[in-house]
Amino acid sequence: MQNTLFYGDNLKLLRDQRLLPDESVDLIYLDPPFSSNQDYNVLFKEQSGTRAAAQIMAFEDTWKWDTTAESAYEETVTRGGHVGRALEAFERLLGRSDMLAYLAMMAPRLVELKRLLKSTGSIYLHCDPTASHYLKLLMDAIFRPENFRNEITWKRTGAHNDPKKYGANVDIILFYTRSDKWKWNQIYTPHDQEYLSRFRHADPDGRKWADYDLSAKGLTGGGYEYEYKGVTSLWRCPLATMKKLDKARKLHFTRNGGIRLKRYLDENKGTVLQCLWDDIPPINSQAAERLGYPTQKPEALLERIIQVSSNDKDVVLDPFCGCGTAIAVAQRHGRKWIGIDVTHLAIKLIKQRLKDSFGAKAKYAVVGEPVDLASARTLAADDKYEFQWWALSLVDAAPERDERKKGADRGIDGVRTFFDGKSRKPQHIMISVKGGGVSVKDVRDLGHVVEREKAAMGVLITLENPTAAMLKEAVTAGFYHSDYQDTKHRRLQVMTIEDLLAGTELDLPVLARMRSADATYAKAPKAKPPEEENGSLDLE
């Protein structure tokens, strides 16, 4: 299986056994979109009369109780079994609310993810505490309670000052396996200072050590009674082991005639990783890996999961891959990967992230993006905004931030920014995308936008071929003069999707051909080789 980015509805893709066959994935990480900044009393509100504002913004067209959610609910309940009965119980408890819609949409996806998981595989579901208890019951129904391993608590941010309640600063990660035999690579965290203070002794060569009791007195189960070098006691280990420890110079003979075990600090692996993860900070505004994606998770979090629950060349799947953190970490650690997202904006970001971090070393296929005029027409007919975002990605432009808000349409679908002249003043290129019929009026409107915004240039991207009048109107707009290399460039340009797919480039100044300074998200840093894990010897 090769590394693959899929664009599209993950349920449809997960159900395609030709693309994703049974038991083909070693590790699954998913962080399904869920609003953590809303009034949850609204989330549980029954749907009647005028609907309130969307509560789950990332999937505002999916995670709400509507005909799609109702269909998903009825399909799962009709199939019966543990999952169907679980949803029936949720419906009695929650009513036909947005929370039930969320669970109804997650249920069939989790069923398919179980199908994909190998018998030795693991799944980590990252969720908000508001929904984690419902999702845990749903996971129990699908993966069975005996395959639940941990509820991991990640401290995702510092202290919160939440009115009249305890500060909400954690996320929950539910860890399940497919069976009772799963891949596990134990990792350790550094000991705290209190533990390290125990190592107050040192050998002549400077090696620090702490001594531990070898006596078994008072222990449940007893021990081994014998005499060793004049000391008779009930010991924790048999005589053969005692001799082995002595030969290895790991016995400490005390002044009062006792024998204790020497444990060396440099042989200590650390503390076995616990289910409270408070040592991985969130991505702050100064972090090099920060891309500006609203739900971006730190790479250290995914590194921990991928290192513990997968091996070299294993397949890692993220069905809600967003900005691609799981994919980037899997790539760096030599895993194969599959990413799925329903927005072209996310696919564009991941492609750019892989390019910035790994260059030509990141080899992968992209499935679902338009590759010709016919598939572009299909996307335009299916989803206006997705078509716009995809078209903007062809010219490396950032979408207009407020384009979905009512009344926000200012004739701009995207913007590309560059710096020109000795003063390095920012210059903007206004971009308009048309997926239907076009006329000379569209060029004139774009010209007005360029003048109004005091922009350097304007580009009209069209699905249909422009008319002769449109091309003539664009020519009459004149030229933009670039001070950097004293060059002229057409102020208004009309470019078809077909031309862009064929590789035709915009007529831009040299500085504007570089990656947009106002790119949708920041540039990812170049990937560094994964740090080697520090090993140590067991004292046996």
Side-chain angles (χ1 to χ4, degrees), residues 259-467:
I259 303 176
R260 295 176 67 84
L261 173 67
K262 293 169 67 174
R263 290 189 182 273
Y264 286 94
L265 181 59
D266 59 10
E267 293 181 341
N268 202 308
K269 294 179 179 180
T271 301
V272 172
L273 184 62
Q274 306 296 297
C275 63
L276 173 60
W277 294 0
D278 58 359
D279 59 332
I280 298 178
I283 297 175
N284 61 40
S285 59
Q286 304 302 315
E289 65 183 270
R290 182 176 184 270
L291 301 176
Y293 195 84
T295 58
Q296 182 181 357
K297 300 302 184 291
E299 291 191 0
L301 185 72
L302 274 301
E303 281 180 336
R304 178 167 290 178
I305 291 170
I306 287 173
Q307 287 178 333
V308 167
S309 293
S310 69
N311 297 324
D312 187 45
K313 297 183 180 180
D314 279 354
V315 179
V316 178
L317 166 65
D318 185 347
F320 295 90
C321 57
C323 66
T325 300
I327 288 170
V329 174
Q331 175 73 32
R332 188 167 70 251
H333 286 269
R335 274 57 164 176
K336 297 178 182 179
W337 51 262
I338 300 168
I340 306 174
D341 205 275
V342 75
T343 71
H344 280 292
L345 200 60
I347 299 299
K348 173 186 183 294
L349 171 59
I350 296 169
K351 289 163 64 177
Q352 190 64 55
R353 182 175 189 171
L354 291 171
K355 179 180 178 181
D356 291 340
S357 297
F358 304 99
K361 292 182 180 179
K363 300 184 185 303
Y364 59 94
V366 180
V367 177
E369 277 196 320
V371 294
D372 53 29
L373 191 58
S375 52
R377 290 185 190 280
T378 300
L379 178 60
D382 289 344
D383 192 309
K384 168 188 173 182
Y385 292 107
E386 285 300 324
F387 173 74
Q388 286 180 0
W389 290 342
W390 169 74
L392 291 170
S393 75
L394 297 179
V395 294
D396 196 23
E400 178 69 358
R401 299 298 198 267
D402 299 321
E403 65 183 39
R404 285 200 175 191
K405 292 183 179 179
K406 185 177 180 181
D409 188 359
R410 299 181 295 125
I412 307 169
D413 294 318
V415 179
R416 181 165 171 168
T417 301
F418 65 100
F419 293 86
D420 200 3
K422 294 180 180 179
S423 64
R424 302 288 291 167
K425 182 179 179 180
Q427 303 289 345
H428 305 291
I429 303 170
M430 302 290 110
I431 300 175
S432 177
V433 179
K434 300 297 180 183
V438 288
S439 68
V440 69
K441 180 180 180 297
D442 296 308
V443 182
R444 290 176 185 151
D445 289 345
L446 179 60
H448 295 321
V449 169
V450 170
E451 293 295 332
R452 184 189 72 212
E453 302 293 328
K454 296 181 173 55
M457 305 168 68
V459 176
L460 176 64
I461 300 176
T462 70
L463 187 58
E464 306 298 335
N465 289 324
T467 65

Side-chain angles (χ1 to χ4, degrees), residues 48-62:
S48 61
T50 303
R51 177 180 165 77
Q55 284 81 43
I56 302 176
M57 300 303 293
F59 251 53
E60 62 182 6
D61 295 327
T62 303

